[in-house]
Amino acid sequence: MSFKNRVEGTSRSVISQKWILFLCISSFCAGMFFTARMWTIPDAKGGITRTTGVEAERLNLVSEGCNTKFLQQKDVKLVSKDVFGEVSKTHNALQTLDKTISSLEMELAAAKSAQESILSGAPISGDSEKGDSPKKRKYFMVVGINTAFSSRKRRDSVRATWMPQGEKRKKLEEEKGIIMRFVIGHGATLGGILDRAIEAEDRNHGDFLRLDHVEGYLELSAKTKTYFATAVKLWDAEYYVKVDDDVHVNIGTLAETLARHRKKPRVYIGCMKSGPVLAQKGVRYHEPEYWKFGETGNKYFRHATGQIYAISKDLASYISVNQHVLHKYANEDVSLGAWFIGLDVLHIDDRRLCCGTPPDCEWKAQAGNVCVASFDWTCSGICRSVDRLKEVHKRCGEGEKALWKAAI
């Protein structure tokens, strides 16, 4: 081979190697360019979408050579962790929302009650005039004396004995926080002669609480329910008392008795009993719904006798809120006891609320155990109370000074 041929062969070999190197570099650059384009995906706004935490973890696992099954398990764990975290946050947010709604409902109920009290003319504390919003004055107890249209003489006997009159009654409200009112509804005919007689009596004494209720012996359960619902709206008191107008009461002793239980919630105090359920028609205290109490001859559940009893504010409020669904039995004291069955109520049996008339209450007073209330069981009140109440008051009364010295 000549020298010329060798030079041409060498030259072609060099040129081929250069082109091969150039093509390799070009291919590498092109590969890098297209690879970068594939990893940067534009978002809806033309920007670059960043790799999420789950995707980054997946890439990391792939680079480490993990198999597909392990990768799927890892994805499930990561996604589950995120889901549980969101569920927990949602649950906490719902709890906070529930508490806020409950708080608002309580504030709304309080504001509604205050508005109703203002519209009904309830007394307001003197400090409320200075504040931005009016507040009801706090009282210790409201004593509602159940009476009827035909009981004018009974009311006068009560006024002449254990119920303070005029300025003394006002002083009792201001200094002791004790409200006393005769409780009565209206006649079958609104504005009739019966209503006008009560209105005239009220103008003379100013000691009535008129209810939106039609008077009637068979409607005593409804009257009791309306009394508590009305009283709790008019006066913000710790206790609400119901007493019949043929019973003698020592108000100071009653106040001290209730004051001993003022720190206890849901108090129901009286002389607790459990009489027989009377199924026979035509007898006094007949119970038409006797079958609800089991077999014939069964007894009622424990409840306070109807002559006098007291309940704390939370129970009176419960009656007020639920008055439209509380069932009424034939006997008023049974109805009240039934309303508290199933509730967490403290039943207090205090026999000083059902002393007998003299000599029973007199002997107890002489022994230093003054009775709260006195009446005759045979009459469900003081027999011939109009004639005998002054005598009972004289022999069993606590004395006028005891009322003003009562520790409340």
Side-chain angles (χ1 to χ4, degrees), residues 152-214:
R152 172 63 188 266
K153 291 183 178 180
R154 285 187 180 182
R155 291 192 291 273
D156 287 339
S157 65
V158 170
R159 292 181 180 117
T161 52
W162 58 270
M163 181 181 184
Q165 292 298 295
E167 294 300 322
K168 290 183 179 180
R169 184 167 58 82
K170 293 181 181 179
K171 182 181 179 182
L172 187 64
E173 295 179 5
E174 295 173 358
E175 295 186 5
K176 293 293 185 179
I178 298 176
I179 304 291
M180 300 181 68
R181 296 288 189 274
F182 286 106
V183 180
I184 195 168
H186 57 78
T189 303
L190 281 173
I193 187 172
L194 296 177
D195 290 334
R196 292 198 300 269
I198 293 296
E199 291 169 2
E201 188 178 346
D202 193 24
R203 284 194 294 270
N204 292 332
H205 299 280
D207 54 6
F208 278 94
L209 171 60
R210 303 299 302 274
L211 303 178
D212 184 12
H213 166 79
V214 179

Side-chain angles (χ1 to χ4, degrees), residues 333-365:
D333 51 356
V334 172
S335 294
L336 184 73
W339 299 337
F340 300 149
I341 291 294
L343 302 182
D344 187 11
V345 175
L346 177 60
H347 290 61
I348 299 176
D349 182 20
D350 194 329
R351 311 314 290 184
R352 292 180 303 159
L353 273 74
C354 54
C355 294
T357 55
D360 180 47
C361 60
E362 188 175 24
W363 291 340
K364 292 177 180 177

Side-chain angles (χ1 to χ4, degrees), residues 143-388:
V143 180
I145 307 169
N146 189 37
T147 191
F149 289 115
S150 60
S151 301
R152 172 63 188 266
K153 291 183 178 180
R154 285 187 180 182
R155 291 192 291 273
D156 287 339
S157 65
V158 170
R159 292 181 180 117
T161 52
W162 58 270
M163 181 181 184
Q165 292 298 295
E167 294 300 322
K168 290 183 179 180
R169 184 167 58 82
K170 293 181 181 179
K171 182 181 179 182
L172 187 64
E173 295 179 5
E174 295 173 358
E175 295 186 5
K176 293 293 185 179
I178 298 176
I179 304 291
M180 300 181 68
R181 296 288 189 274
F182 286 106
V183 180
I184 195 168
H186 57 78
T189 303
L190 281 173
I193 187 172
L194 296 177
D195 290 334
R196 292 198 300 269
I198 293 296
E199 291 169 2
E201 188 178 346
D202 193 24
R203 284 194 294 270
N204 292 332
H205 299 280
D207 54 6
F208 278 94
L209 171 60
R210 303 299 302 274
L211 303 178
D212 184 12
H213 166 79
V214 179
E215 286 290 323
Y217 179 77
L218 298 178
E219 297 297 328
L220 289 179
S221 294
K223 183 177 181 178
T224 298
K225 183 164 56 174
T226 304
Y227 159 62
F228 285 120
T230 304
V232 79
K233 289 181 180 179
L234 291 177
W235 297 289
D236 183 8
E238 295 183 49
Y239 291 98
Y240 298 84
V241 182
K242 177 263 176 181
V243 59
D244 290 338
D245 60 4
D246 57 353
V247 173
H248 179 267
V249 181
N250 286 317
I251 297 298
T253 306
L254 171 62
E256 289 185 339
T257 300
L258 297 180
R260 297 189 188 104
H261 307 288
R262 69 194 317 169
K263 293 184 179 180
K264 303 171 184 177
R266 298 175 297 281
V267 173
Y268 173 34
I269 181 170
C271 287
M272 299 296 165
K273 66 174 184 177
S274 180
V277 181
L278 302 179
Q280 184 180 355
K281 293 183 179 180
V283 299
R284 192 178 186 185
Y285 307 127
H286 165 63
E287 179 57 73
E289 297 180 274
Y290 62 90
W291 58 273
K292 289 185 177 180
F293 298 92
E295 301 298 328
T296 302
N298 278 4
K299 291 185 177 182
Y300 288 113
F301 40 77
R302 288 286 174 181
H303 60 278
T305 184
Q307 286 82 359
I308 181 174
Y309 49 75
I311 61 176
S312 54
K313 180 185 176 180
D314 37 16
L315 293 182
S317 299
Y318 172 81
I319 294 174
S320 178
V321 172
N322 299 284
Q323 57 181 311
H324 301 296
V325 295
L326 294 178
H327 185 69
K328 303 184 296 295
Y329 290 100
N331 299 301
E332 165 250 342
D333 51 356
V334 172
S335 294
L336 184 73
W339 299 337
F340 300 149
I341 291 294
L343 302 182
D344 187 11
V345 175
L346 177 60
H347 290 61
I348 299 176
D349 182 20
D350 194 329
R351 311 314 290 184
R352 292 180 303 159
L353 273 74
C354 54
C355 294
T357 55
D360 180 47
C361 60
E362 188 175 24
W363 291 340
K364 292 177 180 177
Q366 291 173 356
N369 189 22
V370 178
C371 291
V372 173
S374 302
F375 57 90
D376 300 310
W377 284 105
T378 55
C379 299
S380 297
I382 298 176
C383 300
R384 298 180 289 108
S385 65
V386 174
D387 300 325
R388 296 182 57 227

